[in-house]
Amino acid sequence: MIYVHSLGRALRFYPGRTALARDGRLLTFRELHSRVDGIAATLTSHGFGVGDRLALLLPNGPDYIELMYACSVLGVIAVPLNTRLSTKEIDRVLEDASPHGIVRHSSLAVPGAQLSWQQVIDEEPLPIRSDPAPKIFYDPEAVLGLIYTSGTTGQPKGVMVTHANILADVHNLHLIASD
């Protein structure tokens, strides 16, 4: 749903406008859409589908954005990991979340947990497949992200954030920004 209402909408109305900068180059919404489709195809080839979880241990940047959109397209639940966590803390979250795989950056703590699939994107770029685009997943109430927060008790707990939650946040931000 987030894909449909943000990147999908931008692709319809502004295909040639700049979406983001990647490696010193400006990408249009059309190019970003193409990359997201290719990443979604790559995730599909590694067995990811609706309801599967993908851990993300990445700094802020284009890779993170592209992977979040690819998860949205497929109905995969993203499990973003705080880049300040230690290996022990990351392993605790991974044990609780039980993701099918992880995409991470080598500059961050290395998880000790063994997962079915792992991609270290700064050592080997995430392949972008040219398979036909997967069918776009659309369910506002489906979980888009499993966000771990410790709150006041100290041990992180997963908070399920739906596509509709994120879309409501985007709309509220837009309303605040337009005042």
Side-chain angles (χ1 to χ4, degrees), residues 26-82:
L26 299 179
L27 290 180
T28 65
F29 283 106
R30 184 180 298 108
E31 291 167 320
L32 177 58
H33 166 76
S34 177
R35 288 184 58 81
V36 167
D37 274 355
I39 292 168
T42 296
L43 293 175
T44 300
S45 75
H46 287 287
F48 286 91
V50 174
D52 289 327
R53 296 173 182 179
L54 174 65
L56 303 175
L57 183 55
L58 300 169
N60 290 334
D63 294 313
Y64 185 88
I65 293 168
E66 292 169 352
L67 281 157
M68 285 299 295
Y69 276 126
C71 286
S72 175
V73 165
L74 296 173
V76 169
I77 299 169
V79 183
L81 301 169
N82 188 319

Side-chain angles (χ1 to χ4, degrees), residues 4-174:
V4 170
H5 289 284
S6 60
L7 181 56
R9 183 177 186 281
L11 178 65
R12 282 191 313 273
F13 292 106
Y14 314 107
R17 288 198 185 161
T18 300
L20 56 87
R22 178 173 193 69
D23 302 323
R25 182 177 167 284
L26 299 179
L27 290 180
T28 65
F29 283 106
R30 184 180 298 108
E31 291 167 320
L32 177 58
H33 166 76
S34 177
R35 288 184 58 81
V36 167
D37 274 355
I39 292 168
T42 296
L43 293 175
T44 300
S45 75
H46 287 287
F48 286 91
V50 174
D52 289 327
R53 296 173 182 179
L54 174 65
L56 303 175
L57 183 55
L58 300 169
N60 290 334
D63 294 313
Y64 185 88
I65 293 168
E66 292 169 352
L67 281 157
M68 285 299 295
Y69 276 126
C71 286
S72 175
V73 165
L74 296 173
V76 169
I77 299 169
V79 183
L81 301 169
N82 188 319
T83 58
R84 296 180 182 173
L85 295 179
S86 68
T87 296
K88 181 179 176 182
E89 293 167 319
I90 290 169
D91 286 345
R92 189 178 306 126
V93 170
L94 293 176
E95 181 181 330
D96 186 65
S98 301
H100 178 64
I102 186 170
V103 177
R104 67 181 187 85
H105 194 279
S106 67
S107 67
L108 302 170
V110 178
Q114 297 300 310
L115 301 173
S116 301
W117 179 71
Q118 181 175 183
Q119 180 78 35
V120 183
I121 59 169
D122 58 311
E123 292 178 356
E124 184 177 329
L126 187 63
I128 307 237
R129 296 180 59 108
S130 59
D131 301 358
K135 182 176 182 255
I136 296 172
F137 175 80
Y138 189 91
D139 180 357
E141 298 309 314
V143 176
L144 172 62
L146 187 56
I147 313 296
Y148 277 79
T149 178
S150 61
T152 58
T153 62
Q155 292 298 325
K157 290 174 263 336
V159 175
M160 295 182 283
V161 179
T162 67
H163 290 252
N165 293 142
I166 299 297
L167 188 59
D169 286 346
V170 169
H171 284 300
N172 287 334
L173 182 62
H174 175 73

